[in-house]
Amino acid sequence: MITEEQRRIAADVFITAARDFGFDFIESPFLDDGISAFGYISGYGSSKGTVIDLLSLPEDVPNETLLLWCEKNGYYCSFLNVQPLMNGYRRSYFREMLRDWGRY
């Protein structure tokens, strides 16, 4: 389970990456009642963007409800291990991730 401290650190890292790479990051986007996610990035993953959720591996499992919502509504969904984000911003991590997601 992701702690509030981990969520805060991860959000700070994503905000830094957004400034560096020039993308918009929205923390805790509103999706639908009862469906939550860590964040949203437009322009990557699909024409509607990418919805992101965090996992604390190995105990967490991807949120199936979120995944199905994304598939139904045309968003790319990415579940990220929170641990690499706890060491602060690393440009190479985000460069590789954004390249994998693809720019739209």
Side-chain angles (χ1 to χ4, degrees):
M1 179 172 199
I2 303 298
T3 67
E4 283 305 311
E5 178 71 6
Q6 287 174 314
R7 184 175 283 276
R8 184 193 60 74
I9 292 169
D12 289 346
V13 169
F14 264 85
I15 290 167
T16 300
R19 280 192 295 253
D20 189 17
F21 284 93
F23 62 80
D24 293 324
F25 171 70
I26 298 172
E27 186 178 358
S28 302
F30 177 78
L31 304 176
D32 275 335
D33 289 340
I35 300 175
S36 63
F38 164 70
Y40 166 77
I41 295 175
S42 64
Y44 286 90
S46 78
S47 60
K48 287 190 170 183
T50 297
V51 175
I52 304 159
D53 211 9
L54 300 174
L55 300 174
S56 180
L57 298 176
E59 61 271 6
D60 286 346
V61 295
N63 179 334
E64 189 71 24
T65 303
L66 176 61
L67 181 60
L68 292 173
W69 183 91
C70 287
E71 288 175 357
K72 176 183 169 190
N73 292 285
Y75 292 88
Y76 183 73
C77 188
S78 183
F79 295 94
L80 300 177
N81 181 1
V82 73
Q83 287 310 116
L85 302 171
M86 296 301 96
N87 297 321
Y89 175 65
R90 285 183 309 135
R91 189 172 207 284
S92 61
Y93 174 85
F94 278 87
R95 184 179 55 242
E96 182 178 329
M97 181 176 58
L98 295 172
R99 189 176 294 147
D100 285 347
W101 289 350
R103 182 87 172 131
Y104 281 81

